[in-house]
């Protein structure tokens, strides 16, 4: 899902649970900032599309659809390191907000490898008959409603 | 040899003889390095030997950390977390070829700082971060291969 949906969904969770301080920070780190892992594949994406940083003002950014930006940092296998962190911090927030991030991503129809690099098993998202745009629209509307209800 | 000396070190720590225990641990680490060097020099390395060494090393580390916790130098929660982080890192270190080596040696840091809790917390974070980094390294290498295949590069 797009970063906007993750931000709205996490914010609705933050409002419902009335989080603040350290827990608020953890919620956004595990609910939204995990998406920064896409940056790992950015150099490869640019190289694949013959884009040079020196041409940033001359050339438009490549727009390849269906490029696999995902890394195992936002797959269920990441729970193997998120659970120890949650135990160390004595907080369930990292697990809850990571699961919410995972839920949104697994709603989408693109390919996912839940246990990579330990297993190459791959699946599509939930309810693949519904388009990604429709799902995202529903999530955004629900999140906005929840935020407004808890203002 | 290294495992036997390491086990003596565990027993000594359990009997609260920390200094002697750490001396034996130092000997175990030296033997560990020598073991590997001799095997490489005489080309005696086998896959089974590597697996066995890995099992012995992890068992020795876990028992040393638990012994330190048993004599109340650190709490069990931190100890278990450090062991879990090391095990996680071990599961993929062969694929990523990345190992920070921050394990038994940290007990000397704990002794020098008089703070075993801090030493095991560092062990936990270094190994957990290495695990995350290893996952990303594998992911990057794999994506590079896929991109390369789609562009049919050499």
């Amino acid at each position: 899902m797009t970063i906007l949906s993750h931000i709205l969904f996490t914010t609705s969770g933050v409002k419902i649970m009335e989080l603040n301080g350290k827990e608020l920070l953890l919620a956004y780190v595990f609910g939204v900032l995990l998406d920064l892992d896409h940056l790992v594949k950015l150099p490869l994406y640019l190289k694949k599309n013959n884009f040079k940083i020196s041409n940033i003002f001359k050339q438009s950014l490549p727009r390849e659809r269906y490029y696999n930006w995902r890394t195992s940092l936002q797959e269920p296998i990441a729970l193997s390191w998120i659970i120890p962190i949650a135990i160390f911090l004595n907080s369930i927030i990292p697990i809850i907000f990571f699961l919410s991030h995972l839920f949104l991503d697994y709603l989408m129809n693109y390919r996912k490898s839940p246990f990579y690099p330990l297993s190459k098993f791959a699946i599509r998202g939930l309810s693949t008959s519904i388009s990604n745009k429709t799902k995202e629209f529903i999530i955004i509307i629900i999140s906005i409603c929840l935020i407004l209800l808890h203002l | 040899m290294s495992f036997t000396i390491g086990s003596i070190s565990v027993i000594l720590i359990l009997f609260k003889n920390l200094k002697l225990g750490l001396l034996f641990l130092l000997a175990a680490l030296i033997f560990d390095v020598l073991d590997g060097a001799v095997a490489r020099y005489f080309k005696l390395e086998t896959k089974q030997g590597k697996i066995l060494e890995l099992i012995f090393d992890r068992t020795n580390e876990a028992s040393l950390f638990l012994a330190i916790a048993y004599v109340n130098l650190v709490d069990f929660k931190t100890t278990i977390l450090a062991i879990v982080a090391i095990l996680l890192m071990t599961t993929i270190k062969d694929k990523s070829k990345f190992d920070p080596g921050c394990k038994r040696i940290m007990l000397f840091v704990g002794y020098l700082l008089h703070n075993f809790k801090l030493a095991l917390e560092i062990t936990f974070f270094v190994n957990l971060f290495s695990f995350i980094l290893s996952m990303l390294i594998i992911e990057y290498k794999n994506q590079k291969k896929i991109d390369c295949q789609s562009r049919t590069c050499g």
Side-chain angles (χ1 to χ4, degrees):
Chain A
M1 251 189 215
T2 60
I3 194 90
L4 174 72
S5 319
H6 284 302
I7 292 172
L8 288 173
F9 201 66
T10 302
T11 306
S12 65
V14 163
K15 292 280 177 198
I16 293 167
M17 295 174 78
E18 296 176 355
L19 301 179
N20 49 49
K22 184 185 97 180
E23 300 212 309
L24 179 87
L25 181 72
L26 286 173
Y28 280 102
V29 166
F30 288 92
V32 181
L33 284 185
L34 267 186
D35 260 346
L36 284 179
D37 72 328
H38 292 342
L39 291 176
V40 171
K41 290 190 179 178
L42 185 65
L44 292 173
Y45 176 75
L46 295 177
K47 193 179 174 189
K48 190 187 174 198
N49 290 284
N50 296 318
F51 183 86
K52 284 184 181 144
I53 295 289
S54 53
N55 292 342
I56 197 155
F57 297 112
K58 298 173 196 163
Q59 211 177 334
S60 59
L61 283 167
R63 285 185 181 273
E64 182 187 332
R65 289 187 81 190
Y66 309 119
Y67 188 76
N68 179 26
W69 289 100
R70 289 181 74 76
T71 75
S72 34
L73 248 61
Q74 23 181 322
E75 295 290 1
I77 198 169
L79 281 169
S80 59
W81 60 267
I82 290 174
I83 292 174
I85 285 183
I87 295 171
F88 181 82
L89 297 170
N90 285 322
S91 169
I92 191 102
I93 299 299
I95 299 173
I96 292 174
F97 282 86
F98 173 71
L99 288 176
S100 78
H101 187 103
L102 214 58
F103 169 69
L104 293 194
D105 281 354
Y106 271 72
L107 274 179
M108 305 306 270
N109 298 338
Y110 43 71
R111 190 175 180 271
K112 295 155 203 89
S113 308
F115 310 112
Y116 190 82
L118 298 181
S119 159
K120 286 184 177 169
F121 168 74
I123 52 163
R124 294 267 159 201
L126 304 165
S127 311
T128 47
S129 54
I130 307 168
S131 78
N132 283 344
K133 278 189 177 171
T134 312
K135 288 175 187 174
E136 188 133 23
F137 179 73
I138 295 169
I139 289 294
I140 288 173
I141 296 297
I142 293 173
S143 303
I144 291 173
C145 290
L146 287 171
I147 294 167
L148 291 174
L149 276 172
H150 288 87
L151 273 180
Chain B
M1 185 73 164
S2 163
F3 181 71
T4 313
I5 302 172
S7 303
I8 297 170
S9 163
V10 173
I11 295 165
L12 286 166
I13 292 172
L14 284 173
F15 282 101
K16 299 191 177 175
N17 201 334
L18 192 63
K19 265 188 191 173
L20 201 57
L22 288 178
L23 267 175
F24 268 82
L25 174 60
L26 185 65
L29 289 173
I30 292 168
F31 270 102
D32 200 17
V33 173
L34 285 177
D35 272 358
V38 168
R40 273 189 295 277
Y41 185 77
F42 291 105
K43 293 181 178 165
L44 296 170
E45 282 180 301
T46 62
K47 199 179 173 185
Q48 275 179 322
K50 270 187 180 176
I51 295 170
L52 217 59
E53 192 197 0
L54 200 68
I55 294 170
F56 282 153
D57 282 354
R58 293 301 93 91
T59 310
N60 190 227
E61 271 145 28
S63 31
L64 274 165
F65 289 0
L66 288 169
I68 293 284
Y70 183 78
V71 293
N72 285 326
L73 288 169
V74 63
D75 58 300
F76 273 100
K77 183 182 134 183
T78 312
T79 308
I80 301 288
L81 285 174
I83 294 171
V84 167
I86 290 173
L87 290 177
L88 279 174
M89 206 276 302
T90 306
T91 56
I92 54 171
K93 79 165 187 167
D94 271 355
K95 282 185 183 175
S96 68
K97 313 271 181 235
F98 178 68
D99 182 357
C102 175
K103 299 177 196 94
R104 283 175 289 187
I105 204 120
M106 289 309 289
L107 291 182
F108 297 104
V109 175
Y111 180 74
L112 291 173
L113 297 175
H114 303 285
N115 193 341
F116 282 97
K117 187 174 166 61
L118 177 68
L120 289 199
E121 279 175 355
I122 294 171
T123 309
F124 167 66
F125 274 110
V126 169
N127 283 284
L128 205 67
F129 182 70
S130 304
F131 174 67
I132 298 167
L133 202 62
S134 296
M135 291 215 294
L136 290 176
I137 291 172
I138 296 168
E139 198 88 47
Y140 184 87
K141 281 181 186 171
N142 191 44
Q143 190 65 45
K144 197 174 176 182
K145 211 186 281 177
I146 293 168
D147 289 354
C148 216
Q149 278 164 358
S150 68
R151 283 186 295 144
T152 59
C153 60

